[in-house]
Amino acid sequence: MSVYRAKAKDGKFKSPFWQYDFTVAGRRFCGSTGETTRAAAERVERKLKEEARRPRDDTTINGAFGLWWSEKGQRDAKSATTFWRMEILQDLLTDILERDGQPALLSSIKTKHLTEYATRRRLMPDRRQKLPAPATINRELQILRRIMRYAIEAWDAALALPRFTVAIAAEPDPRVRAIPEKTITALRNALREDYRDVFDWLVMVGARAGNAMATDTGRWLRPDDVDLDARVARWRVKSKTPGGRLIEIPLTTAAVVLLANNLGNHPEAVFTYIAKRTYGGRVRGQRYPITYEGFRKAFKRAAESINQRHLRVHDLRHTAGTNVLRATGNLVLAQTLLGHTTIATTRRYSHATSDDLLAGLEKVQKTRGKA
């Protein structure tokens, strides 16, 4: 029913104001528009219908973040990073909403609040006084999108997702840096001796460091993950699959020898180090699992010692993928080794074959010039 004037039994109008009466999603809305003309009353009715159709939810940001963390976030591969990003999101979004006169609810978050978040976040330096990169802000907004989508799907929250693509900034192409063999040798020699085997493993198989060394995710390589008789190693990587997606890598002779030399040193980890002193519950001379953080610090010291401080641990994975692609020219093999779910991700490594092609063309053209 559109707007109308209610009449009494004597035919006179009950009120000078036009009334509205409509239903949205099974819910009836009726009352006075407070307007004395039909055109004005219809404008009021349209506005009321828009408001009635707009999803409403009283889930607070604080409550949603806490519940999502307990149900999902704490199982992220880098849960500490997720938690830190959630803290920034919660504090800054709450401030933005309060300044806009809005309650701190998930349903209060609109596209304009996301763009303001990105603008203000770009001006917030970290502890080292460095401003965040676009990728950092994007990851924070993507966590918010995950939370809001989960609220809709798992908690039946009546939310309308804001347009995240408006606030998410363009990012530079991911960096893929393969370390030259000469530098690999220098890096290895600069590392402490009991870290060299895990270094070799990363270069051999291209595993993520967190799948080889102890981290808070609990996915590092354990003795049960290695089957020397079948010549395979298995581990799980982060995935939507419960427990993670299983990766299985065949072992070369060199890999079998490397693992055989490390198995049996510790019941919970393949790669271990020898404690140089007694401290923090550790005893000098005994072996303990190599942690990712410990290896990262040692790697950075080794890189600085050979004047290559720009190198990262993840570059070892890039090196493994590039080496396979350069040796075989087969993107699918490189994809299988690195555990990429799409060939598009592996295609970033195609610079290897491009470089080799260029070198080959240069050689051909020089040969033709001599003919």
Side-chain angles (χ1 to χ4, degrees), residues 62-107:
N62 182 50
F65 277 36
L67 186 56
W68 182 82
W69 171 257
S70 65
E71 293 184 5
K72 296 287 289 185
Q74 64 179 337
R75 291 191 289 277
D76 277 5
K78 294 184 178 179
S79 57
T81 301
T82 299
F83 188 82
W84 169 73
R85 286 172 172 163
M86 288 173 64
E87 285 187 318
I88 296 174
L89 271 168
Q90 182 172 332
D91 292 345
L92 189 50
L93 279 173
T94 300
D95 183 66
I96 289 171
L97 290 171
E98 288 177 351
R99 288 172 181 264
D100 193 33
Q102 301 294 322
L105 305 176
L106 281 188
S107 57

Side-chain angles (χ1 to χ4, degrees), residues 138-193:
N138 289 349
R139 299 302 167 268
E140 293 165 7
L141 290 172
Q142 287 163 356
I143 287 175
L144 176 63
R145 183 166 59 187
R146 289 174 63 192
I147 294 172
M148 295 186 75
R149 284 178 172 171
Y150 188 76
I152 294 170
E153 296 170 1
W155 309 330
D156 296 322
L159 301 176
L161 285 178
R163 295 188 297 278
F164 280 88
T165 53
V166 174
I168 291 178
E171 298 179 26
D173 291 337
R175 178 177 58 175
V176 176
R177 177 186 290 128
I179 306 175
E181 189 60 35
K182 183 178 179 180
T183 305
I184 286 288
T185 301
L187 266 174
R188 186 182 187 279
N189 292 337
L191 278 172
R192 53 184 286 178
E193 187 174 353

Side-chain angles (χ1 to χ4, degrees), residues 188-226:
R188 186 182 187 279
N189 292 337
L191 278 172
R192 53 184 286 178
E193 187 174 353
D194 47 4
Y195 279 14
R196 292 175 184 172
D197 279 357
V198 72
F199 177 92
D200 291 341
W201 174 253
L202 296 179
V203 176
M204 280 182 181
V205 304
R208 288 183 173 86
N211 292 127
M213 293 166 277
T215 65
D216 56 2
T217 65
R219 291 195 180 107
W220 65 85
L221 195 68
R222 302 171 185 270
D224 290 345
D225 298 328
V226 178

Side-chain angles (χ1 to χ4, degrees), residues 244-258:
R245 183 163 52 86
L246 183 65
I247 299 293
E248 182 173 289
I249 298 295
L251 300 175
T252 63
T253 300
V256 168
V257 172
L258 184 149

Side-chain angles (χ1 to χ4, degrees), residues 27 42 47 65 89 104 106-107 110-111 115 218 253 258 286 321 336 356:
R27 182 181 175 188
E42 288 176 342
K47 184 175 181 180
F65 277 36
L89 271 168
L106 281 188
S107 57
K110 307 299 183 228
T111 305
T115 57
T253 300
L258 184 149
Q286 292 190 11
T336 303
D356 294 340

Side-chain angles (χ1 to χ4, degrees), residues 323-344:
N323 287 345
V324 167
L325 190 55
R326 177 172 285 129
T328 66
N330 191 322
L331 274 171
V332 175
L333 286 181
Q335 177 190 11
T336 303
L337 174 71
L338 299 172
H340 291 158
T341 54
T342 65
I343 199 71

